Amino acid sequence: MELHNQSDISCSSAAENYLIEKMNEIKIFSPATVANVACGFDVLGFCLDSVGDDMVIRKTDKKGIHITRIEGFNLPYEAELNVAGVSALAMYDAIDVDFGFEIEIYKNIKPGSGIGSSAASAVGSVFGMNELLNRPFSKTQLTEFAIKGEALASKCEHADNLAPALFGGFTLVKSISPLRILEIPSPDDLYATIIHPQIEIKTSESRAILPKEVPLSEAIEQWANLGSLVHALHTSDYDLISNSLTDVIVEPHRGKLIPEFNAVKTAALKAGALGAGISGSGPSIFSLSKSSETAIKVKDAMESIYSKTGIAFEIHVSKINTNGVKIIN
Ligand code: ADP
């Protein structure tokens, strides 16, 4: 296989290479992710363990990218209209092979949920193809392809959900051009609780309500919080994590789009959460806790608020997933 624009090559053992060369089909788990994480708007994200999509990627004699099955939600089969297809096509354009790929998507993450539904699809197709091709591309290069798919959903190029889905753990996207992703350690006892009200808020819509300019005093507070959150994650300083999980710029605007946002946040903090905020562009609300016991208490507290609203919701408790997208067969 010939690669176009190949820059850095990932390594795998000879035995692994042999096995992968024999493989024509791969089943993968592509995880849900939480972007922004309060003070890290558009740059910070983390990966979830217990929520995600399954996908099957298969080599086929027919050249090109073909989406052959979608279950769970009604999404387009045309590769150019589906984020999984767009990211796959970006990667397909960069290689020279005499075969094509089929993609099956078993979607569990509701599109527009704010926990990286589109990112899971964008990442899953390129990760699976890369495995079947014997891993010619690095994770950063895969993110470049996936960005093209994600742009279809959110109308702009960003990687704050893609990076944690590919790398696992917490990630910070330092820049998009050139793409630079930093992996940030996750303290061992850190758990997330996510409530997902079953209403749709489109990323493109929730971007439109944001101010174009922010006062300097708010910017200072925000970057102080982001810097201290990154430091706290490196040093497993749970008190500092708690003290840093504040968003003074985006949350005051987007919080209004989510029914009972303030009540859920207050209840989560009262139940012992380190902090809480909007997951991605909403409507999901995330919180972080020290220990699974506290994360479960936070779940009960969030549930008690939402069960009074009449709005259907899902709720997840998850350890931070430090591996990201993975093969499951
Ligand atoms: P999320 O934050 O959950 O990813 P977005 O608003 O960013 O939500 O993306 C959802 C939008 O992307 C929907 O309009 C959906 O129709 C479109 N879309 C296209 N392909 C996919 C896919 N494979 N998975 C999820 N959403 C997709």
Side-chain angles (χ1 to χ4, degrees):
M1 184 196 68
E2 198 181 300
L3 292 180
H4 303 148
N5 300 324
Q6 183 186 6
S7 54
D8 59 323
I9 306 274
S10 60
C11 305
S12 45
S13 74
E16 266 181 335
N17 287 352
Y18 176 77
L19 271 178
I20 291 165
E21 264 162 33
K22 295 274 155 211
M23 257 186 329
N24 277 324
E25 181 178 305
I26 198 166
K27 188 169 184 197
I28 58 158
F29 170 76
S30 196
T33 44
V34 170
N36 299 340
V37 200
C39 49
F41 180 63
D42 257 6
V43 295
L44 199 61
F46 65 81
C47 188
L48 297 174
D49 221 4
S50 55
V51 204
D53 296 343
D54 292 341
M55 292 172 79
V56 173
I57 316 295
R58 186 180 301 116
K59 281 189 201 165
T60 160
D61 290 341
K62 193 172 159 201
K63 286 183 109 180
I65 300 295
H66 315 281
I67 299 176
T68 51
R69 192 163 179 171
I70 302 175
E71 284 185 13
F73 293 96
N74 195 12
L75 290 164
Y77 275 78
E78 297 90 326
E80 297 77 10
L81 300 179
N82 189 306
V83 296
V86 174
S87 62
L89 283 167
M91 181 163 161
Y92 197 70
D93 282 347
I95 58 176
D96 191 5
V97 290
D98 59 0
F99 53 86
F101 291 92
E102 285 180 359
I103 301 172
E104 295 179 5
I105 307 171
Y106 299 90
K107 217 153 183 60
N108 298 310
I109 318 169
K110 189 176 188 287
S113 56
I115 51 171
S117 177
S118 47
S121 286
V123 158
S125 60
V126 294
F127 172 82
M129 285 165 65
N130 195 46
E131 292 293 316
L132 293 175
L133 292 168
N134 216 359
R135 299 186 196 148
F137 295 108
S138 68
K139 286 186 176 178
T140 301
Q141 287 173 310
L142 294 183
T143 312
E144 302 258 19
F145 299 131
I147 283 175
K148 303 295 173 207
E150 184 73 314
L152 177 77
S154 54
K155 315 280 180 269
C156 69
E157 297 202 338
H158 66 109
D160 48 345
N161 285 105
L162 302 170
L166 264 161
F167 288 81
F170 279 82
T171 55
L172 189 136
V173 182
K174 186 193 174 294
S175 59
I176 288 283
S177 184
L179 183 60
R180 180 122 196 249
I181 295 163
L182 309 179
E183 292 181 77
I184 300 166
S186 314
D188 282 344
D189 221 9
L190 200 57
Y191 285 77
T193 311
I194 321 280
I195 183 163
H196 170 207
Q198 304 285 295
I199 55 170
E200 184 171 357
I201 298 178
K202 286 221 160 68
T203 305
S204 46
E205 287 167 22
S206 60
R207 270 184 186 268
I209 66 160
L210 297 180
K212 299 281 170 286
E213 288 172 6
V214 295
L216 185 61
S217 58
E218 287 178 9
I220 292 168
E221 205 176 332
Q222 194 88 345
W223 63 56
N225 279 329
L226 179 57
S228 60
L229 177 58
V230 171
H231 179 73
L233 291 168
H234 272 275
T235 52
S236 295
D237 184 338
Y238 292 93
D239 288 339
L240 188 60
I241 292 174
S242 180
N243 199 248
S244 312
L245 277 172
T246 306
D247 170 8
V248 295
I249 292 180
V250 176
E251 190 179 291
H253 301 278
R254 286 191 173 167
K256 294 178 196 146
L257 299 175
I258 304 171
E260 298 299 342
F261 173 72
N262 289 327
V264 169
K265 188 173 166 178
T266 306
L269 295 174
K270 214 169 149 203
L274 299 167
I278 302 168
S279 176
S281 53
S284 291
I285 304 168
F286 82 95
S287 73
L288 287 171
S289 300
K290 185 183 179 186
S291 85
S292 62
E293 292 76 24
T294 308
I296 290 165
K297 281 189 197 145
V298 170
K299 168 183 173 280
D300 296 342
M302 286 177 164
E303 245 165 19
S304 74
I305 301 286
Y306 247 79
S307 48
K308 292 180 205 132
T309 62
I311 300 170
F313 63 92
E314 279 179 357
I315 198 153
H316 313 284
V317 174
S318 170
K319 195 168 167 54
I320 308 301
N321 169 358
T322 51
N323 299 311
V325 58
K326 63 177 184 193
I327 300 172
I328 50 174
N329 60 341

